[in-house]
Amino acid sequence: MKNNIKSHRQNGKGSAGQPLAFEKYFPKDTDFEGELLTLGLPKIDALPEVLVITSYPPRECGIANYSHDLFKALNNKFNQSIQIKICALESDEEVFNYPEEVKYTLKTSSPLGYVQLARSINQDTNIQIVLIQHEFGFFKLQEQAFTDFLNQITKPVVIVFHSVLPRPDSRLRNSVQQLTAACTSVIVMTHNSMGVLTHDYGIPGQKISVIAHGTHLVTHLDKKILKKKFGLKGRKILTTFGLLSAGKSIETTIEALPAIVATIPEVIFLVIGKTHPEVVKNDGEVYRESLEQRVKDLGLQNHVRFINKYLALPELLDYLQLTDIYLFTTCDPNQAVSGTFAYAMSCACPIISTPIPHTREVLTPDTGIIIDFDDPLQLGKEVIKLLNDNTLRKHLSVNSLQKIISTTWENSAISHAMLFENLSSGKINLKYNLPEVNLDHLNHMTTSTGIIQFSKLNRPDLGSGFTLDDNARAMVASCMQFKLTGDHEILKNISIYLAFISRCQQPAGDFLNYIDKEHLFTKQNQKVNLDDSNGRAVWALGYLISLKDILPEALIFEAMEVLKRALFHISTLQSTRAIAFTIKGLYYYQIAYDHFYTRILIKTLSSRLEQMFYHESGKKWIWFESYLTYANSIMPEAMLYGWLITKQPAYKEIALSSLDFLLSQTFDKKGIKVITNQNWLQKGELIKGYGEQPIDVAYTILTLSAFFDVFQDTQYLEKMKTAFNWFLGHNHLHQIIYNPCTGGCYDGLEENNVNLNQGAESTVSYLMARLTMEQYFKTEISEKKQYTNH
């Protein structure tokens, strides 16, 4: 490739890091990809490619950062389905050392470059989609060449408008109409921008997708700790960030500061970011210097700090998390979208903003405060009011997070990938990557007593106390992890959870469920039926005992002692799910220690389920009860275990038929939809309502795993994948339920949002599901690691 297009070799290595087989036949600097295309051969990598035409780091600009974040998100979630390649836009004088994903560069001022790039895209059999990040300034020197370039491309083209100007003149309207006519699809980041395109430009609405500007998941660290880290202990922090230019109107805040400081003297205003490179090139540091001089004139040197550098993302997110109020004071009413504003919301910053379309669409009285342009007096009044109202700041913070969660980069990647799949004519088939196993939130929720029941966001809520249910499940998950890894660090948690189960056991052998933060049993234990909790305890104990060959003898001995005492109570259980969980626990115990009494007990309990099944089931309702509620899959699974131990044919038939019925109710072509916690499914009805819980999806995966192990029917394996993808975004909202930043799992999927709290039940449920998937899809996980490392 010559002139303004560069094709980058991938280090002269194959996928395993070895020299390519044909490399010795070509000169050292040969462009292998171009040579293969010339010979009419397919490209080296068989995965379909999406080529993103954009500015890209190390170039410093907002769209470069945006594109890099999008690249990382798509790569993390879908790099076994698609490859994302970059064509980096450059001006004449720019030369950068790019990362390996950059395949081409384009000098935007060269007409020939557009022609060459179009030809290369059309000849490249692996490129299936072209995604263009559009800003008018990128192509202002060659507008016609860019329009011709779009018309020359024979692949589907998606254009992303980062600026959408309302009330265009005829020239701008015609230009945008020509661009969109040459593209297959258009992306904008706000509904306001979509409205402008349809109303002011006449662009068909069906051609437009709204995919919000991506935001980062953060761990929501403690403000006090972060303030101390950055030398800001005891200060009230006002922050703004971004590449500095006059359009950001930083002077509005500086002029407001004297009144603010007079009322709240501990205030400090952080101005984070270096001056925009284009501003430096044209005007030098005149704007920054004028701001610094004004700070001196007003005597505010102790209340304004200029952080004149380009911060790495982790440090930037730390600054945003320690911020008490984020100030967005742009003076451009036509700025369609702001990445800095979106990042501030993702860090739960209470925000005061001027009214650009993006902020007017997102901020409501419950999520932020909107002020007029260039109004220091109004800004000062709102800052003082908000700094003096801790409750309001907290309210805005929580609501902002709920508002912005659908826009995380993970969710943005899902929306983009689904669009690519729809436009690819079957050439792109999405497959979700399995995230790495992450125990951070599990460990964060676990004290020396046990795992805490609830969390507020990802912060453990010790006031919610502890439950036997959660600690039993946590012990199962931890034992699963130890079985897979042999990591002895996990033994500490297993010991904690086992001790908690033992603590809950009563003299008669049964268990209580609820313990408060003072380690006392609560009155709730007398108000609710505890049979299900008792069954889960038996399951956890039995599973631990089944690992007698790898776990320390002391743990096995303690678990056996607790289980032996529980056996006196087990025979009295009548609850369907309690019986089923108990059978599962006894099955695990029985495969470790073949005892006659345990075998008899399994048969007794299995017969009870059998009687329930025959009492309720019919031709159209093949189930144990007249309704489907929670943890439904445990009942077919229990009958499977009953058959494996007793070899009673009826148990096998009930296990298979009841599972088939359950799957018919919860799976369809769209995926899985488990029974909601708002509306149980009554006999003869259809699933309705919302409120899907991670625990029910996880139990379904565990059950499918058990059936696959026994019958080797691949339909169970495929449904496991479908169910697990629910956590990763394959659900009715197309949003992640598992948070890869914290390692926690959101508490539920509602009609229009996810519940952002990451309690013990949901987090442990996800971990059980994820560890189950590890047993069957190690190859896919290995391939993902290899590609990422490469």
Side-chain angles (χ1 to χ4, degrees):
M1 303 275 176
K2 299 179 181 178
N3 299 325
N4 299 321
I5 306 172
K6 259 187 323 188
S7 181
H8 293 257
R9 294 176 64 193
Q10 295 195 3
N11 303 320
K13 303 288 185 178
S15 62
Q18 298 302 315
L20 299 169
F22 51 80
E23 188 171 12
K24 61 184 178 181
Y25 299 110
F26 292 88
K28 182 177 179 181
D29 295 327
T30 297
D31 172 5
F32 291 116
E33 197 168 272
E35 293 293 339
L36 288 171
L37 290 170
T38 301
L39 294 170
L41 298 174
K43 293 173 64 173
I44 298 165
D45 201 316
L47 281 179
E49 289 182 6
V50 174
L51 181 68
V52 185
I53 300 176
T54 180
S55 60
Y56 204 70
R59 182 174 177 176
E60 294 175 350
C61 78
I63 293 179
N65 294 336
Y66 172 94
S67 296
H68 188 235
D69 287 333
L70 179 60
F71 165 81
K72 289 188 295 184
L74 284 164
N75 200 45
N76 285 337
K77 287 198 78 69
F78 298 110
N79 69 3
Q80 294 181 70
S81 309
I82 50 177
Q83 280 201 81
I84 308 299
K85 297 295 185 181
I86 307 295
C87 173
L89 302 175
E90 295 179 342
S91 61
D92 281 339
E93 66 274 13
E94 290 177 321
V95 178
F96 296 110
N97 182 23
Y98 290 110
E100 66 179 357
E101 63 264 23
V102 176
K103 183 175 183 178
Y104 303 111
T105 62
L106 172 65
K107 296 292 186 184
T108 54
S109 60
S110 170
L112 181 60
Y114 292 93
V115 175
Q116 291 175 317
L117 180 59
R119 183 184 303 122
S120 298
I121 290 170
N122 292 338
Q123 290 177 346
D124 191 327
T125 57
N126 253 25
I127 294 177
Q128 302 301 328
I129 304 286
V130 177
L131 178 70
I132 299 174
Q133 304 295 342
H134 180 273
E135 182 62 65
F136 290 100
F138 285 162
F139 308 105
K140 63 183 178 181
L141 298 179
Q142 293 294 340
E143 291 182 8
Q144 189 59 50
F146 176 61
T147 303
D148 293 342
F149 162 74
L150 294 180
N151 284 295
Q152 290 163 7
I153 297 175
T154 59
K155 313 291 177 72
V157 177
V158 181
I159 191 166
V160 184
F161 284 117
H162 287 255
S163 291
V164 180
L165 300 177
R167 300 174 296 280
D169 58 26
S170 59
R171 182 182 177 279
L172 178 58
R173 183 186 301 108
N174 290 337
S175 174
V176 170
Q177 287 174 343
Q178 289 178 32
L179 294 180
T180 57
C183 296
T184 312
S185 183
V186 176
I187 293 175
V188 292
M189 299 183 194
T190 67
H191 292 279
N192 176 273
S193 293
M194 180 178 179
V196 172
L197 282 183
T198 56
H199 183 267
D200 293 4
Y201 293 84
I203 310 303
Q206 63 268 25
K207 196 171 190 175
I208 305 171
S209 298
V210 178
I211 303 178
H213 192 297
T215 54
H216 292 281
L217 292 169
V218 298
T219 52
H220 302 292
L221 301 173
D222 187 273
K223 282 184 187 293
K224 291 182 180 179
I225 294 174
L226 288 173
K227 287 181 179 182
K228 183 178 180 181
K229 173 183 174 181
F230 289 100
L232 295 166
K233 183 179 179 181
R235 304 300 294 266
K236 294 288 188 182
I237 312 298
L238 310 177
T239 301
T240 193
F241 89 93
L243 294 171
L244 202 60
S245 67
K248 291 188 178 295
S249 194
I250 305 299
E251 61 273 17
T252 300
T253 303
I254 292 174
E255 296 299 330
L257 274 176
I260 297 171
V261 170
T263 304
I264 308 171
E266 64 269 28
V267 160
I268 184 169
F269 177 40
L270 305 181
V271 183
I272 301 173
K274 61 193 297 185
T275 303
H276 197 292
E278 291 297 314
V279 174
V280 173
K281 183 169 63 175
N282 296 321
D283 303 318
E285 292 285 0
V286 172
Y287 180 62
R288 180 184 296 276
E289 290 167 358
S290 72
L291 296 175
E292 292 172 342
Q293 184 59 50
R294 187 58 178 155
V295 168
K296 291 180 182 178
D297 293 345
L298 294 172
L300 295 171
Q301 294 94 322
N302 292 328
H303 299 281
V304 180
R305 181 182 299 181
F306 289 94
I307 303 174
N308 185 13
K309 61 180 180 177
Y310 191 83
L311 296 183
L313 181 63
E315 186 176 6
L316 172 61
L317 295 178
D318 280 352
Y319 269 111
L320 290 175
Q321 288 180 83
L322 64 79
T323 296
D324 292 294
I325 301 176
Y326 184 81
L327 301 176
F328 181 74
T329 56
T330 180
C331 56
D332 180 5
N334 293 323
Q335 182 177 345
V337 68
S338 168
T340 62
F341 166 76
Y343 283 21
M345 285 198 78
S346 72
C347 292
C349 297
I351 296 175
I352 298 176
S353 172
T354 49
I356 67 169
H358 189 185
T359 61
R360 282 190 285 110
E361 187 165 306
V362 175
L363 292 184
T364 65
D366 283 334
T367 57
I369 297 170
I370 290 181
I371 59 171
D372 296 329
F373 293 105
D374 301 316
D375 193 336
L377 182 62
Q378 185 186 18
L379 173 63
K381 288 180 179 178
E382 294 296 344
V383 167
I384 292 169
K385 176 183 175 182
L386 192 51
L387 284 179
N388 284 327
D389 193 335
N390 292 336
T391 301
L392 178 58
R393 289 206 314 277
K394 188 173 183 179
H395 177 74
L396 295 178
S397 176
V398 171
N399 289 341
S400 292
L401 275 180
Q402 187 66 70
K403 184 94 171 185
I404 207 75
I405 192 63
S406 64
T407 71
T408 63
W409 282 114
E410 289 75 9
N411 291 332
S412 178
I414 293 168
S415 296
H416 279 86
M418 289 173 63
L419 179 61
F420 300 156
E421 185 178 43
N422 290 337
L423 297 178
S424 71
S425 301
K427 296 175 182 177
I428 293 175
N429 296 294
L430 294 181
K431 180 167 64 174
Y432 290 77
N433 291 341
L434 287 173
E436 299 288 336
V437 175
N438 182 351
L439 302 182
D440 287 353
H441 192 54
L442 178 78
N443 293 331
H444 193 44
M445 293 283 288
T446 300
T447 72
S448 58
T449 300
I451 189 167
I452 297 169
Q453 182 177 194
F454 298 139
S455 74
K456 297 177 180 178
L457 299 178
N458 64 314
R459 295 175 183 171
D461 178 12
L462 185 59
S464 66
F466 310 84
T467 70
L468 173 66
D469 286 333
D470 292 330
N471 281 271
R473 285 186 288 257
M475 190 167 82
V476 170
S478 298
C479 286
M480 292 172 70
Q481 175 72 346
F482 185 81
K483 182 181 178 181
L484 286 168
T485 67
D487 182 359
H488 281 256
E489 289 294 317
I490 301 166
L491 294 176
K492 178 182 177 181
N493 280 356
I494 295 175
S495 298
I496 289 172
Y497 305 139
L498 178 57
F500 186 91
I501 294 172
S502 179
R503 179 199 295 252
C504 289
Q505 191 168 40
Q506 302 301 292
D510 60 322
F511 300 89
L512 298 182
N513 189 34
Y514 301 99
I515 291 180
D516 64 20
K517 65 179 182 179
E518 306 298 333
H519 304 157
L520 300 174
F521 290 112
T522 71
K523 293 180 180 179
Q524 195 173 358
N525 288 295
Q526 282 76 51
K527 297 179 180 179
V528 299
N529 189 310
L530 301 178
D531 280 0
D532 287 4
S533 302
N534 279 252
R536 291 186 191 98
V538 173
W539 164 34
L541 293 166
Y543 184 68
L544 186 152
I545 292 167
S546 74
L547 303 181
K548 64 183 180 65
D549 293 335
I550 59 173
L551 286 174
E553 288 184 7
L555 289 177
I556 302 299
F557 178 79
E558 182 178 356
M560 288 185 66
E561 289 299 304
V562 176
L563 183 58
K564 286 178 181 177
R565 292 193 293 270
L567 292 179
F568 296 104
H569 174 70
I570 284 173
S571 60
T572 66
L573 293 175
Q574 298 297 325
S575 162
T576 313
R577 284 158 190 77
I579 292 171
F581 279 117
T582 299
I583 291 171
K584 185 171 184 176
L586 293 177
Y587 165 78
Y588 281 119
Y589 178 83
Q590 184 67 12
I591 61 176
Y593 297 100
D594 187 0
H595 285 177
F596 176 76
Y597 177 73
T598 309
R599 187 182 297 272
I600 294 298
L601 194 51
I602 290 173
K603 182 162 190 318
T604 299
L605 295 175
S606 298
S607 294
R608 286 184 193 168
L609 288 185
E610 179 187 23
Q611 293 167 17
M612 294 175 183
F613 178 82
Y614 286 136
H615 183 266
E616 292 293 343
S617 67
K619 289 184 178 181
K620 295 184 178 180
W621 187 264
I622 310 170
W623 198 242
F624 303 83
E625 300 165 315
S626 62
Y627 45 79
L628 291 169
T629 58
Y630 61 93
N632 296 297
S633 68
I634 187 61
M635 287 175 275
E637 187 179 348
M639 294 307 292
L640 174 67
Y641 294 136
W643 170 65
L644 290 173
I645 295 299
T646 68
K647 302 304 179 185
Q648 291 286 324
Y651 297 171
K652 175 184 176 182
E653 175 58 31
I654 292 172
L656 289 168
S657 61
S658 61
L659 180 62
D660 285 348
F661 172 75
L662 178 62
L663 299 180
S664 75
Q665 300 297 307
T666 53
F667 283 84
D668 59 23
K669 293 180 180 179
K670 295 180 181 179
I672 185 174
K673 180 177 174 62
V674 293
I675 310 303
T676 74
N677 65 349
Q678 296 177 7
N679 291 285
W680 301 140
L681 179 61
Q682 302 293 328
K683 184 186 293 188
E685 294 182 352
L686 298 175
I687 293 179
K688 58 184 178 181
Y690 295 90
E692 296 173 71
Q693 304 294 298
I695 190 169
D696 287 305
V697 179
Y699 281 152
T700 300
I701 291 170
L702 266 62
T703 296
L704 289 167
S705 166
F707 275 75
F708 176 76
D709 288 347
V710 174
F711 300 110
Q712 294 295 297
D713 186 337
T714 55
Q715 71 150 326
Y716 298 133
L717 211 56
E718 290 304 312
K719 281 186 165 56
M720 284 173 62
K721 284 186 181 181
T722 299
F724 191 77
N725 287 344
W726 181 90
F727 289 103
L728 307 182
H730 188 52
N731 49 60
H732 78 267
L733 290 183
H734 306 298
Q735 293 182 27
I736 56 170
I737 308 300
Y738 167 66
N739 183 325
C741 174
T742 64
C745 181
Y746 298 131
D747 279 352
L749 177 67
E750 307 299 336
E751 181 176 4
N752 299 309
N753 63 279
V754 295
N755 182 333
L756 297 185
N757 295 326
Q758 299 161 50
E761 177 184 291
S762 55
T763 295
V764 173
S765 295
Y766 167 81
L767 278 173
M768 289 190 297
R770 175 62 186 84
L771 293 167
T772 299
M773 299 297 287
E774 184 87 2
Q775 303 171 51
Y776 305 98
F777 302 105
K778 285 184 178 180
T779 302
E780 293 182 10
I781 298 165
S782 176
E783 287 174 356
K784 177 194 171 190
K785 288 180 180 177
Q786 186 181 71
Y787 181 87
T788 302
N789 292 337
H790 175 63

